[in-house]
Amino acid sequence: MRRYQALQLINELTADLPLVVTCAATSRELAAVETRDNHFYVLDSMGLVGSIATGLAIAAKGSDVQKVIGLEGDGSLFMNPNVLPTGGFLSPNRLFLILLDNQVYGSTADIPTYADRVDLGAIAEASGWTVGRADDEASFRSEYARLLNTAGPTFLHMRIEPGNATDVPKLLVDPVTITNRFQAWFTHRLGQGTEVNA
Ligand SMILES: [Mg+2]
């Protein structure tokens, strides 16, 4: 499976959850699949998805938002792997990081990352995250469902093939507009429901 197909799947599964998305091809392709208010495209901030998702997961404590989803690439997570020990240390119940691992920097000519020799899922596991692994649609769906219902920080390591979708337009929406749109959605979403879970 390539990134675009994985994003179609993730978009389908996360309609009612905050989705923080890494920059460049991943944001561009997800916006091409569908642009929704619950998508926070982290433009030009490589490696910060885990930091933002951790903060939002802490903010969601006590709400009925089941998980805050952070969507990372391997190159981007290697830029700031500190989010793994930080997430494991803080251990928010609602933190869920999905890694789309194609072992290359897909936005810069498929230059190899460290991912063929350094296992980011193992780093997450050693840092206290509950880790699931998938490499196709069926395994992704089952591990996603399991981790969605697992308390504490969860990490779904999805292996995909390299390759960007063709004819995907640049994402030229003003980051301020993206932020305001997501913030309004998230604030409204936090106010919904009466169930309180610590
Ligand atoms: Mg990559």
Side-chain angles (χ1 to χ4, degrees):
M1 184 186 296
R2 285 192 174 186
R3 186 195 302 107
Y4 194 81
Q5 284 71 45
L7 293 172
Q8 288 176 311
L9 189 55
I10 291 165
N11 186 58
E12 175 205 319
L13 294 170
T14 58
D16 193 38
L17 297 173
L19 182 60
V20 184
V21 189
T22 190
C23 56
T26 308
S27 273
R28 226 170 21 243
E29 292 186 7
L30 180 62
V33 170
E34 188 177 6
T35 299
R36 288 201 305 225
D37 293 353
N38 63 315
H39 293 174
F40 183 29
Y41 306 107
V42 183
L43 304 181
D44 298 333
S45 297
M46 199 171 176
L48 288 184
V49 160
S51 307
I52 295 167
T54 298
L56 294 176
I58 291 169
K61 183 178 180 180
S63 77
D64 71 345
V65 173
Q66 196 171 5
K67 287 281 188 183
V68 173
I69 313 285
L71 181 54
E72 266 293 18
D74 50 312
S76 184
L77 189 51
F78 276 121
M79 183 70 79
N80 183 20
N82 173 61
V83 299
L84 298 175
T86 300
F89 177 80
L90 296 173
S91 202
N93 271 339
R94 289 165 171 76
L95 180 58
F96 188 168
L97 203 56
I98 297 173
L99 172 65
L100 296 182
D101 182 356
N102 59 7
Q103 304 196 347
V104 298
Y105 292 96
S107 300
T108 50
D110 285 356
I111 298 167
T113 67
Y114 305 150
D116 64 332
R117 289 163 55 189
V118 178
D119 183 346
L120 285 162
I123 297 175
E125 201 156 31
S127 301
W129 299 59
T130 302
V131 175
R133 295 179 186 275
D135 57 9
D136 60 15
E137 178 174 345
S139 55
F140 185 90
R141 283 183 184 277
S142 65
E143 285 299 272
Y144 177 86
R146 179 176 74 86
L147 295 174
L148 192 64
N149 289 293
T150 301
T154 53
F155 185 98
L156 179 41
H157 191 167
M158 173 66 167
R159 301 278 187 185
I160 58 170
E161 297 164 24
N164 300 335
T166 54
D167 299 326
V168 170
K170 291 189 185 309
L171 184 53
L172 297 175
V173 181
D174 188 328
V176 174
T177 302
I178 292 171
T179 302
N180 288 342
R181 186 175 66 197
F182 174 79
Q183 189 174 39
W185 178 88
F186 188 58
T187 303
H188 177 74
R189 183 68 186 76
L190 284 181
Q192 291 178 333
T194 54
E195 182 190 352
V196 175
N197 293 316

